Amino acid sequence: MIYLDNAATTMHKPPCVVRAVTEALESLGNCGRGVNEGSLSAARVIYAAREKLAEFLGCPEPDRVCFTSNSTEALNTAIFGLLGPEDHVISTDLEHNSVLRPLYRLEAEGMGLDFLAADRQGNVDYGQLPRLLRPNTRAIVCTHASNLTGNTLDLPRLGAFAREHGLLFVVDASQSAGSLPLDMTAYGISVLCFTGHKGLMGPQGTGGLCVAPGVEIRPLKTGGTGVQSHRKDQPEAYPTRLEAGTLNGHGIAGLSAALDWIRDTGRPAIHRWETQRMEQFYRGVRDVPGVTVYGDFTRERAPIVALNIGDMGSSQAADILSSEYGIAVRSGAHCAPRMHQALGTTQQGAVRFSFGWFNTPEEVDQAVAAVRSIAEE
Amino acid sequence: MREKSLQVVITFHTTSAAMAMERLCRARGLPGRLAPAPRDVTSDCGIAWCAPASARPDLESVPGAPEFAGVYELLL
């Protein structure tokens, strides 16, 4: 199989990640539950992962890196823990349902919600931001990179706007962490939500949120923490505040190993390689008659190429790619309904090719040839 | 019978803070180890840093230490 669905998950992991998970399964107890060698081993592994993530993502303190099971849980924690019916929020058309659905739920409870609109290329007009401000605007909640087109948002610019107007700035880095430059402090981000199993190359079931100093999030979950057991309420100190229940120590051990691998390989080198594969594919398909490519390829972006072939349904195209060419891509709506509306692909969906470190130029050539062949039929 | 000695016992609000303390002390060659917080102290976190009482000044003044929930001297 030629795996070109890295935006869904990086299926192929560095061998050190597999080894770390295996070793963890054989040696880790439960972090913070008791003080035996097993529990201490887990606590040390998890703390080391916090330290690495804090350094990698520009979070000022390891204790403000809070683990969740994925970025959806992280985003729900941030959105429901910071916002309420009395607030107004600005988001964008690029968002995934992991951002949209929590916001829509709050909107149904009375919260104001406006979107920075995207054009047919998937770009937003930042000049519209002041028009969206209201007296009760509390936050900007947005993605770093569209999971459908790969287009990025200008986080430093949005962060500066948020700071200027006293807004919280919540960012979904699901499609960018591990590949694109990202520094939550430099960009003025209040809460950075990440997943461990995409660009960060860790196991599924890992993710979290980095919380800037001064940002106080109401816990989404309450329960066992291993500390302050006689209190009726959730402890206040981060990260325990947002980490009720047993952490995924085994997965976090894998994520920690993945972070070592990214450090040793070099994030810029990873981003460069993925971008080269994306550009190779884009150059190969953009002028094929009948092929429509979506997104803006003139600026920094996530390594994604979304396209359609004539009026063929995206799921049919993906099925042909899989069954006849052994190429794994994603089709359909990609959990990004507003982005499809902006692109005009609500009915057709889109075929998404997303590239990763383990993709070779030869694989990309085969994918280009497959698209050409299908388009010629 | 196990011989007792005067120990400094430092407690923390979170397990993560206890881990940070261990990392810091190991890096600086400061004495002590992680142990269950004794029942004599009120502990936020079940894990405490325990060391000979003579190390208390060094442990309390180490730069970059996490926030302590409490510092006690006990015969352990």
Side-chain angles (χ1 to χ4, degrees), chain A residues 82-142:
Chain A
L82 290 170
L83 304 169
E86 67 281 9
D87 297 320
H88 170 255
V89 167
I90 299 171
S91 189
T92 82
D93 278 349
L94 276 69
E95 307 310 317
H96 186 278
N97 273 337
S98 56
V99 168
L100 294 174
R101 285 179 171 159
L103 291 179
Y104 287 148
R105 178 180 287 187
L106 286 174
E107 184 184 36
E109 295 171 4
M111 188 185 78
L113 180 60
D114 281 298
F115 292 92
L116 199 56
D119 61 21
R120 297 283 286 195
Q121 239 188 336
N123 287 325
V124 298
D125 176 5
Y126 298 97
Q128 295 299 310
L129 275 172
R131 191 180 56 79
L132 299 179
L133 271 178
R134 294 189 200 168
N136 63 332
T137 302
R138 181 88 197 286
I140 297 174
V141 184
C142 70

Short mmCIF file of all heavy atoms in Angstrom, two decimals, chain A residues 82-142:
data_model
loop_
_atom_site.label_atom_id
_atom_site.label_comp_id
_atom_site.label_asym_id
_atom_site.label_seq_id
_atom_site.Cartn_x
_atom_site.Cartn_y
_atom_site.Cartn_z
N LEU A 82 -13.62 27.61 28.99
CA LEU A 82 -13.31 29.04 28.95
C LEU A 82 -14.50 29.91 28.55
O LEU A 82 -14.52 31.10 28.87
CB LEU A 82 -12.17 29.31 27.96
CG LEU A 82 -10.78 28.81 28.35
CD1 LEU A 82 -9.81 28.92 27.17
CD2 LEU A 82 -10.24 29.61 29.54
N LEU A 83 -15.45 29.32 27.82
CA LEU A 83 -16.49 30.13 27.18
C LEU A 83 -17.86 29.77 27.71
O LEU A 83 -18.08 28.66 28.20
CB LEU A 83 -16.43 29.93 25.67
CG LEU A 83 -15.07 30.23 25.04
CD1 LEU A 83 -15.02 29.75 23.60
CD2 LEU A 83 -14.77 31.72 25.14
N GLY A 84 -18.78 30.71 27.57
CA GLY A 84 -20.15 30.47 28.03
C GLY A 84 -21.16 31.25 27.21
O GLY A 84 -20.78 31.99 26.28
N PRO A 85 -22.43 31.10 27.54
CA PRO A 85 -23.50 31.73 26.76
C PRO A 85 -23.39 33.24 26.68
O PRO A 85 -23.92 33.86 25.74
CB PRO A 85 -24.77 31.33 27.51
CG PRO A 85 -24.40 30.15 28.33
CD PRO A 85 -22.95 30.31 28.66
N GLU A 86 -22.72 33.86 27.64
CA GLU A 86 -22.64 35.32 27.66
C GLU A 86 -21.56 35.86 26.71
O GLU A 86 -21.47 37.08 26.49
CB GLU A 86 -22.34 35.81 29.09
CG GLU A 86 -20.95 35.44 29.62
CD GLU A 86 -20.82 34.00 30.11
OE1 GLU A 86 -21.77 33.20 29.88
OE2 GLU A 86 -19.78 33.66 30.68
N ASP A 87 -20.78 34.97 26.13
CA ASP A 87 -19.63 35.38 25.32
C ASP A 87 -19.95 35.42 23.83
O ASP A 87 -20.97 34.88 23.37
CB ASP A 87 -18.46 34.41 25.55
CG ASP A 87 -17.97 34.44 26.99
OD1 ASP A 87 -17.90 35.55 27.55
OD2 ASP A 87 -17.66 33.37 27.53
N HIS A 88 -19.01 35.99 23.09
CA HIS A 88 -19.04 35.95 21.63
C HIS A 88 -17.67 35.46 21.16
O HIS A 88 -16.64 35.81 21.75
CB HIS A 88 -19.30 37.36 21.06
CG HIS A 88 -19.11 37.46 19.57
ND1 HIS A 88 -18.01 38.07 19.01
CD2 HIS A 88 -19.85 36.99 18.54
CE1 HIS A 88 -18.11 38.00 17.69
NE2 HIS A 88 -19.22 37.35 17.37
N VAL A 89 -17.66 34.63 20.12
CA VAL A 89 -16.43 34.01 19.64
C VAL A 89 -16.29 34.23 18.14
O VAL A 89 -17.27 34.19 17.39
CB VAL A 89 -16.43 32.49 19.96
CG1 VAL A 89 -15.34 31.76 19.20
CG2 VAL A 89 -16.27 32.28 21.47
N ILE A 90 -15.04 34.43 17.72
CA ILE A 90 -14.72 34.51 16.29
C ILE A 90 -13.97 33.23 15.91
O ILE A 90 -12.98 32.87 16.56
CB ILE A 90 -13.86 35.74 15.97
CG1 ILE A 90 -14.61 37.03 16.33
CG2 ILE A 90 -13.46 35.74 14.50
CD1 ILE A 90 -13.74 38.29 16.25
N SER A 91 -14.46 32.56 14.88
CA SER A 91 -13.77 31.39 14.35
C SER A 91 -13.62 31.57 12.83
O SER A 91 -13.78 32.69 12.34
CB SER A 91 -14.54 30.12 14.72
OG SER A 91 -13.78 28.98 14.40
N THR A 92 -13.31 30.49 12.12
CA THR A 92 -13.10 30.64 10.68
C THR A 92 -13.78 29.50 9.91
O THR A 92 -14.15 28.47 10.49
CB THR A 92 -11.60 30.62 10.32
OG1 THR A 92 -11.14 29.26 10.26
CG2 THR A 92 -10.76 31.39 11.32
N ASP A 93 -13.87 29.67 8.61
CA ASP A 93 -14.46 28.64 7.76
C ASP A 93 -13.55 27.43 7.58
O ASP A 93 -13.95 26.43 6.99
CB ASP A 93 -14.78 29.22 6.37
CG ASP A 93 -16.09 29.98 6.36
OD1 ASP A 93 -16.85 29.88 7.34
OD2 ASP A 93 -16.36 30.68 5.35
N LEU A 94 -12.31 27.52 8.05
CA LEU A 94 -11.37 26.42 7.84
C LEU A 94 -11.54 25.29 8.85
O LEU A 94 -10.87 24.27 8.76
CB LEU A 94 -9.92 26.93 7.93
CG LEU A 94 -9.32 27.55 6.67
CD1 LEU A 94 -9.99 28.87 6.35
CD2 LEU A 94 -7.81 27.76 6.83
N GLU A 95 -12.42 25.47 9.81
CA GLU A 95 -12.40 24.59 10.99
C GLU A 95 -12.93 23.18 10.76
O GLU A 95 -13.81 22.94 9.95
CB GLU A 95 -13.20 25.24 12.13
CG GLU A 95 -12.76 26.65 12.47
CD GLU A 95 -11.26 26.78 12.66
OE1 GLU A 95 -10.65 25.91 13.31
OE2 GLU A 95 -10.69 27.76 12.16
N HIS A 96 -12.38 22.30 11.56
CA HIS A 96 -12.81 20.90 11.68
C HIS A 96 -13.97 20.84 12.67
O HIS A 96 -14.13 21.73 13.49
CB HIS A 96 -11.61 20.10 12.19
CG HIS A 96 -11.79 18.62 12.25
ND1 HIS A 96 -12.43 17.98 13.29
CD2 HIS A 96 -11.38 17.64 11.40
CE1 HIS A 96 -12.41 16.68 13.08
NE2 HIS A 96 -11.78 16.43 11.94
N ASN A 97 -14.74 19.78 12.59
CA ASN A 97 -15.87 19.65 13.52
C ASN A 97 -15.43 19.59 14.99
O ASN A 97 -16.25 19.82 15.88
CB ASN A 97 -16.70 18.41 13.18
CG ASN A 97 -17.77 18.72 12.13
OD1 ASN A 97 -18.18 19.88 11.97
ND2 ASN A 97 -18.20 17.71 11.39
N SER A 98 -14.18 19.27 15.24
CA SER A 98 -13.71 19.24 16.63
C SER A 98 -13.70 20.65 17.23
O SER A 98 -13.76 20.81 18.44
CB SER A 98 -12.32 18.62 16.72
OG SER A 98 -11.42 19.31 15.88
N VAL A 99 -13.64 21.66 16.39
CA VAL A 99 -13.81 23.04 16.82
C VAL A 99 -15.28 23.46 16.66
O VAL A 99 -15.87 24.06 17.55
CB VAL A 99 -12.90 23.99 16.00
CG1 VAL A 99 -13.27 25.45 16.24
CG2 VAL A 99 -11.44 23.75 16.36
N LEU A 100 -15.85 23.13 15.49
CA LEU A 100 -17.19 23.64 15.16
C LEU A 100 -18.27 23.12 16.11
O LEU A 100 -19.11 23.89 16.60
CB LEU A 100 -17.56 23.26 13.73
CG LEU A 100 -16.73 23.91 12.62
CD1 LEU A 100 -17.10 23.32 11.26
CD2 LEU A 100 -16.93 25.42 12.62
N ARG A 101 -18.25 21.83 16.38
CA ARG A 101 -19.37 21.28 17.16
C ARG A 101 -19.40 21.79 18.60
O ARG A 101 -20.49 22.11 19.11
CB ARG A 101 -19.38 19.75 17.07
CG ARG A 101 -19.90 19.30 15.71
CD ARG A 101 -19.91 17.81 15.53
NE ARG A 101 -20.62 17.45 14.30
CZ ARG A 101 -20.48 16.30 13.66
NH1 ARG A 101 -19.64 15.38 14.12
NH2 ARG A 101 -21.15 16.05 12.56
N PRO A 102 -18.28 21.88 19.30
CA PRO A 102 -18.35 22.52 20.63
C PRO A 102 -18.84 23.96 20.55
O PRO A 102 -19.64 24.40 21.39
CB PRO A 102 -16.90 22.45 21.13
CG PRO A 102 -16.29 21.31 20.38
CD PRO A 102 -16.95 21.31 19.04
N LEU A 103 -18.39 24.69 19.51
CA LEU A 103 -18.85 26.08 19.38
C LEU A 103 -20.34 26.13 19.05
O LEU A 103 -21.07 26.97 19.60
CB LEU A 103 -18.05 26.79 18.28
CG LEU A 103 -16.57 27.06 18.58
CD1 LEU A 103 -15.90 27.74 17.39
CD2 LEU A 103 -16.42 27.93 19.83
N TYR A 104 -20.80 25.25 18.19
CA TYR A 104 -22.23 25.24 17.86
C TYR A 104 -23.09 24.89 19.08
O TYR A 104 -24.20 25.40 19.25
CB TYR A 104 -22.52 24.23 16.74
CG TYR A 104 -22.05 24.65 15.36
CD1 TYR A 104 -21.61 23.72 14.42
CD2 TYR A 104 -22.05 26.00 14.99
CE1 TYR A 104 -21.19 24.11 13.16
CE2 TYR A 104 -21.64 26.39 13.72
CZ TYR A 104 -21.21 25.44 12.81
OH TYR A 104 -20.79 25.82 11.56
N ARG A 105 -22.56 24.00 19.93
CA ARG A 105 -23.33 23.66 21.14
C ARG A 105 -23.47 24.90 22.02
O ARG A 105 -24.56 25.18 22.54
CB ARG A 105 -22.65 22.54 21.92
CG ARG A 105 -23.40 22.20 23.20
CD ARG A 105 -22.77 21.11 24.00
NE ARG A 105 -22.95 19.81 23.38
CZ ARG A 105 -22.60 18.65 23.97
NH1 ARG A 105 -22.04 18.65 25.15
NH2 ARG A 105 -22.80 17.51 23.36
N LEU A 106 -22.39 25.64 22.17
CA LEU A 106 -22.47 26.87 22.98
C LEU A 106 -23.34 27.91 22.31
O LEU A 106 -24.06 28.67 22.98
CB LEU A 106 -21.06 27.42 23.23
CG LEU A 106 -20.21 26.65 24.24
CD1 LEU A 106 -18.79 27.21 24.29
CD2 LEU A 106 -20.84 26.69 25.63
N GLU A 107 -23.30 27.95 20.98
CA GLU A 107 -24.15 28.89 20.26
C GLU A 107 -25.63 28.58 20.53
O GLU A 107 -26.45 29.50 20.74
CB GLU A 107 -23.88 28.82 18.75
CG GLU A 107 -24.65 29.85 17.95
CD GLU A 107 -24.45 29.69 16.45
OE1 GLU A 107 -24.32 28.54 15.97
OE2 GLU A 107 -24.43 30.72 15.74
N ALA A 108 -25.95 27.29 20.58
CA ALA A 108 -27.34 26.90 20.87
C ALA A 108 -27.75 27.32 22.27
O ALA A 108 -28.95 27.46 22.56
CB ALA A 108 -27.49 25.39 20.71
N GLU A 109 -26.77 27.50 23.16
CA GLU A 109 -27.07 27.93 24.52
C GLU A 109 -27.04 29.45 24.67
O GLU A 109 -27.16 29.98 25.77
CB GLU A 109 -26.06 27.29 25.49
CG GLU A 109 -26.17 25.78 25.56
CD GLU A 109 -25.03 25.13 26.35
OE1 GLU A 109 -24.19 25.87 26.91
OE2 GLU A 109 -24.97 23.90 26.36
N GLY A 110 -26.80 30.15 23.54
CA GLY A 110 -26.87 31.60 23.58
C GLY A 110 -25.60 32.34 23.24
O GLY A 110 -25.59 33.58 23.12
N MET A 111 -24.49 31.64 23.09
CA MET A 111 -23.22 32.31 22.78
C MET A 111 -23.26 32.90 21.36
O MET A 111 -23.79 32.27 20.43
CB MET A 111 -22.05 31.31 22.89
CG MET A 111 -20.69 31.97 22.77
SD MET A 111 -19.35 30.75 22.76
CE MET A 111 -19.45 30.17 21.05
N GLY A 112 -22.68 34.05 21.18
CA GLY A 112 -22.55 34.64 19.85
C GLY A 112 -21.39 33.99 19.11
O GLY A 112 -20.36 33.66 19.71
N LEU A 113 -21.55 33.80 17.80
CA LEU A 113 -20.52 33.11 17.02
C LEU A 113 -20.48 33.68 15.61
O LEU A 113 -21.51 33.73 14.93
CB LEU A 113 -20.84 31.61 16.98
CG LEU A 113 -19.90 30.69 16.21
CD1 LEU A 113 -18.49 30.74 16.78
CD2 LEU A 113 -20.44 29.24 16.24
N ASP A 114 -19.30 34.09 15.19
CA ASP A 114 -19.11 34.57 13.83
C ASP A 114 -17.88 33.91 13.23
O ASP A 114 -16.95 33.53 13.93
CB ASP A 114 -18.94 36.09 13.81
CG ASP A 114 -20.27 36.82 13.94
OD1 ASP A 114 -21.11 36.64 13.04
OD2 ASP A 114 -20.45 37.56 14.93
N PHE A 115 -17.91 33.83 11.89
CA PHE A 115 -16.82 33.17 11.19
C PHE A 115 -16.13 34.10 10.20
O PHE A 115 -16.80 34.82 9.46
CB PHE A 115 -17.35 31.94 10.41
CG PHE A 115 -17.83 30.85 11.32
CD1 PHE A 115 -19.17 30.79 11.70
CD2 PHE A 115 -16.97 29.90 11.80
CE1 PHE A 115 -19.62 29.79 12.55
CE2 PHE A 115 -17.40 28.89 12.65
CZ PHE A 115 -18.73 28.84 13.02
N LEU A 116 -14.81 34.05 10.23
CA LEU A 116 -14.02 34.72 9.20
C LEU A 116 -14.18 33.87 7.93
O LEU A 116 -13.79 32.70 7.91
CB LEU A 116 -12.55 34.76 9.65
CG LEU A 116 -11.60 35.76 9.01
CD1 LEU A 116 -12.10 37.19 9.12
CD2 LEU A 116 -10.22 35.62 9.65
N ALA A 117 -14.78 34.47 6.90
CA ALA A 117 -15.15 33.68 5.73
C ALA A 117 -13.94 33.32 4.88
O ALA A 117 -12.97 34.08 4.79
CB ALA A 117 -16.15 34.47 4.89
N ALA A 118 -14.00 32.16 4.26
CA ALA A 118 -12.96 31.73 3.31
C ALA A 118 -13.47 31.91 1.89
O ALA A 118 -14.67 31.78 1.62
CB ALA A 118 -12.60 30.28 3.55
N ASP A 119 -12.53 32.21 0.97
CA ASP A 119 -12.91 32.35 -0.43
C ASP A 119 -12.77 31.00 -1.15
O ASP A 119 -12.50 29.97 -0.51
CB ASP A 119 -12.07 33.45 -1.11
CG ASP A 119 -10.58 33.14 -1.08
OD1 ASP A 119 -10.20 31.95 -0.92
OD2 ASP A 119 -9.77 34.09 -1.20
N ARG A 120 -12.91 31.00 -2.46
CA ARG A 120 -12.90 29.73 -3.21
C ARG A 120 -11.53 29.06 -3.20
O ARG A 120 -11.40 27.89 -3.54
CB ARG A 120 -13.32 29.98 -4.67
CG ARG A 120 -14.72 30.48 -4.82
CD ARG A 120 -15.77 29.39 -4.66
NE ARG A 120 -15.85 28.48 -5.79
CZ ARG A 120 -16.85 27.65 -6.01
NH1 ARG A 120 -17.85 27.59 -5.14
NH2 ARG A 120 -16.86 26.84 -7.05
N GLN A 121 -10.51 29.83 -2.82
CA GLN A 121 -9.17 29.24 -2.70
C GLN A 121 -8.90 28.76 -1.27
O GLN A 121 -7.83 28.26 -0.98
CB GLN A 121 -8.11 30.28 -3.09
CG GLN A 121 -7.25 29.82 -4.25
CD GLN A 121 -6.09 30.77 -4.50
OE1 GLN A 121 -6.12 31.95 -4.15
NE2 GLN A 121 -5.06 30.25 -5.11
N GLY A 122 -9.86 28.99 -0.39
CA GLY A 122 -9.69 28.56 0.99
C GLY A 122 -8.95 29.55 1.86
O GLY A 122 -8.53 29.23 2.97
N ASN A 123 -8.79 30.79 1.36
CA ASN A 123 -8.10 31.83 2.14
C ASN A 123 -9.10 32.74 2.84
O ASN A 123 -10.22 32.93 2.36
CB ASN A 123 -7.22 32.69 1.22
CG ASN A 123 -5.99 31.94 0.77
OD1 ASN A 123 -5.43 31.13 1.52
ND2 ASN A 123 -5.56 32.18 -0.46
N VAL A 124 -8.67 33.31 3.96
CA VAL A 124 -9.52 34.25 4.68
C VAL A 124 -9.00 35.67 4.48
O VAL A 124 -7.84 35.88 4.14
CB VAL A 124 -9.57 33.94 6.19
CG1 VAL A 124 -10.15 32.55 6.44
CG2 VAL A 124 -8.19 34.08 6.83
N ASP A 125 -9.91 36.64 4.69
CA ASP A 125 -9.56 38.06 4.59
C ASP A 125 -9.43 38.61 6.02
O ASP A 125 -10.44 38.86 6.68
CB ASP A 125 -10.64 38.80 3.80
CG ASP A 125 -10.40 40.31 3.75
OD1 ASP A 125 -9.33 40.75 4.24
OD2 ASP A 125 -11.26 41.02 3.23
N TYR A 126 -8.19 38.78 6.47
CA TYR A 126 -7.97 39.23 7.85
C TYR A 126 -8.51 40.64 8.08
O TYR A 126 -8.75 41.04 9.22
CB TYR A 126 -6.48 39.16 8.20
CG TYR A 126 -5.93 37.75 8.13
CD1 TYR A 126 -5.26 37.29 7.01
CD2 TYR A 126 -6.11 36.87 9.20
CE1 TYR A 126 -4.77 35.99 6.94
CE2 TYR A 126 -5.63 35.57 9.14
CZ TYR A 126 -4.96 35.14 8.00
OH TYR A 126 -4.49 33.86 7.94
N GLY A 127 -8.67 41.38 7.02
CA GLY A 127 -9.21 42.73 7.13
C GLY A 127 -10.64 42.76 7.65
O GLY A 127 -11.14 43.80 8.08
N GLN A 128 -11.31 41.60 7.61
CA GLN A 128 -12.69 41.53 8.10
C GLN A 128 -12.77 41.36 9.62
O GLN A 128 -13.85 41.46 10.20
CB GLN A 128 -13.42 40.35 7.42
CG GLN A 128 -13.59 40.49 5.93
CD GLN A 128 -14.43 41.72 5.59
OE1 GLN A 128 -15.50 41.93 6.13
NE2 GLN A 128 -13.92 42.55 4.70
N LEU A 129 -11.63 41.08 10.25
CA LEU A 129 -11.65 40.81 11.70
C LEU A 129 -12.28 41.93 12.53
O LEU A 129 -13.14 41.65 13.37
CB LEU A 129 -10.23 40.52 12.20
CG LEU A 129 -9.71 39.09 12.05
CD1 LEU A 129 -8.23 39.03 12.41
CD2 LEU A 129 -10.51 38.13 12.93
N PRO A 130 -11.88 43.18 12.33
CA PRO A 130 -12.46 44.24 13.17
C PRO A 130 -13.97 44.31 13.06
O PRO A 130 -14.67 44.61 14.03
CB PRO A 130 -11.80 45.51 12.64
CG PRO A 130 -10.52 45.04 12.02
CD PRO A 130 -10.84 43.69 11.43
N ARG A 131 -14.50 43.99 11.87
CA ARG A 131 -15.95 44.05 11.66
C ARG A 131 -16.68 42.99 12.50
O ARG A 131 -17.85 43.15 12.84
CB ARG A 131 -16.22 43.81 10.17
CG ARG A 131 -17.63 44.09 9.70
CD ARG A 131 -17.78 43.81 8.22
NE ARG A 131 -17.41 42.45 7.84
CZ ARG A 131 -18.19 41.39 8.01
NH1 ARG A 131 -19.39 41.51 8.54
NH2 ARG A 131 -17.78 40.18 7.63
N LEU A 132 -15.96 41.90 12.83
CA LEU A 132 -16.59 40.81 13.58
C LEU A 132 -16.57 41.03 15.09
O LEU A 132 -17.24 40.32 15.83
CB LEU A 132 -15.90 39.48 13.25
CG LEU A 132 -15.95 39.04 11.78
CD1 LEU A 132 -15.19 37.73 11.60
CD2 LEU A 132 -17.39 38.88 11.31
N LEU A 133 -15.78 41.99 15.52
CA LEU A 133 -15.66 42.23 16.97
C LEU A 133 -16.97 42.74 17.56
O LEU A 133 -17.67 43.54 16.95
CB LEU A 133 -14.58 43.28 17.24
CG LEU A 133 -13.15 42.83 17.44
CD1 LEU A 133 -12.27 44.04 17.64
CD2 LEU A 133 -13.01 41.87 18.62
N ARG A 134 -17.27 42.26 18.77
CA ARG A 134 -18.41 42.78 19.53
C ARG A 134 -17.90 43.13 20.92
O ARG A 134 -16.83 42.68 21.33
CB ARG A 134 -19.51 41.71 19.66
CG ARG A 134 -20.18 41.32 18.36
CD ARG A 134 -21.39 40.44 18.68
NE ARG A 134 -21.81 39.65 17.54
CZ ARG A 134 -22.69 38.65 17.62
NH1 ARG A 134 -23.23 38.34 18.80
NH2 ARG A 134 -23.03 37.95 16.56
N PRO A 135 -18.69 43.88 21.68
CA PRO A 135 -18.23 44.22 23.03
C PRO A 135 -17.97 43.00 23.91
O PRO A 135 -17.12 43.03 24.79
CB PRO A 135 -19.40 45.05 23.60
CG PRO A 135 -20.08 45.60 22.40
CD PRO A 135 -19.94 44.58 21.32
N ASN A 136 -18.71 41.91 23.66
CA ASN A 136 -18.53 40.72 24.50
C ASN A 136 -17.68 39.64 23.82
O ASN A 136 -17.71 38.47 24.24
CB ASN A 136 -19.90 40.13 24.89
CG ASN A 136 -20.69 39.65 23.69
OD1 ASN A 136 -20.52 40.17 22.59
ND2 ASN A 136 -21.55 38.67 23.89
N THR A 137 -16.95 40.00 22.76
CA THR A 137 -16.09 39.00 22.12
C THR A 137 -15.03 38.55 23.12
O THR A 137 -14.32 39.38 23.70
CB THR A 137 -15.42 39.57 20.86
OG1 THR A 137 -16.43 40.01 19.96
CG2 THR A 137 -14.56 38.50 20.18
N ARG A 138 -14.94 37.23 23.31
CA ARG A 138 -14.06 36.70 24.36
C ARG A 138 -12.86 35.99 23.76
O ARG A 138 -11.81 35.93 24.40
CB ARG A 138 -14.87 35.71 25.21
CG ARG A 138 -14.12 35.07 26.35
CD ARG A 138 -14.22 35.93 27.61
NE ARG A 138 -13.20 35.55 28.58
CZ ARG A 138 -13.22 34.46 29.33
NH1 ARG A 138 -14.23 33.62 29.23
NH2 ARG A 138 -12.26 34.22 30.19
N ALA A 139 -13.03 35.42 22.55
CA ALA A 139 -11.95 34.58 22.06
C ALA A 139 -11.96 34.45 20.54
O ALA A 139 -13.01 34.60 19.90
CB ALA A 139 -12.06 33.18 22.67
N ILE A 140 -10.78 34.15 20.01
CA ILE A 140 -10.64 33.63 18.65
C ILE A 140 -10.30 32.15 18.81
O ILE A 140 -9.38 31.80 19.56
CB ILE A 140 -9.52 34.35 17.87
CG1 ILE A 140 -9.86 35.82 17.69
CG2 ILE A 140 -9.30 33.68 16.52
CD1 ILE A 140 -8.74 36.63 17.06
N VAL A 141 -11.06 31.31 18.14
CA VAL A 141 -10.80 29.86 18.17
C VAL A 141 -10.61 29.40 16.74
O VAL A 141 -11.53 29.54 15.92
CB VAL A 141 -11.97 29.08 18.82
CG1 VAL A 141 -11.61 27.60 18.92
CG2 VAL A 141 -12.29 29.64 20.20
N CYS A 142 -9.45 28.89 16.41
CA CYS A 142 -9.19 28.55 15.01
C CYS A 142 -8.11 27.48 14.87
O CYS A 142 -7.36 27.21 15.79
CB CYS A 142 -8.79 29.79 14.22
SG CYS A 142 -7.17 30.42 14.65
#
